[in-house]
Amino acid sequence: MVENLSRITADELMDEADIYVVDKEFNWTYVITHETGLCGPYFSSKS
């Protein structure tokens, strides 16, 4: 669990693969897949 995620930027996560970041209630999800350069990163939120 990461506290105060607002200090982390998407650029800091770009060297990661297969990472999923969600809030406690799963209202939003940020995903970086292992297909670097081909797909993503992805962001989704509940409507």
Side-chain angles (χ1 to χ4, degrees):
M1 183 180 296
V2 176
E3 297 292 333
N4 200 358
L5 190 60
S6 64
R7 293 183 180 191
I8 296 176
T9 66
D11 288 337
E12 292 176 300
L13 298 174
M14 291 310 294
D15 291 334
E16 303 296 329
D18 292 326
I19 186 170
Y20 294 71
V21 181
V22 300
D23 72 323
K24 287 182 180 181
E25 291 80 30
F26 288 85
N27 291 311
W28 57 265
T29 305
Y30 180 78
V31 180
I32 299 175
T33 67
H34 62 274
E35 292 100 354
T36 306
L38 299 174
C39 303
Y42 301 99
F43 179 81
S44 180
S45 63
K46 286 185 179 180
S47 298

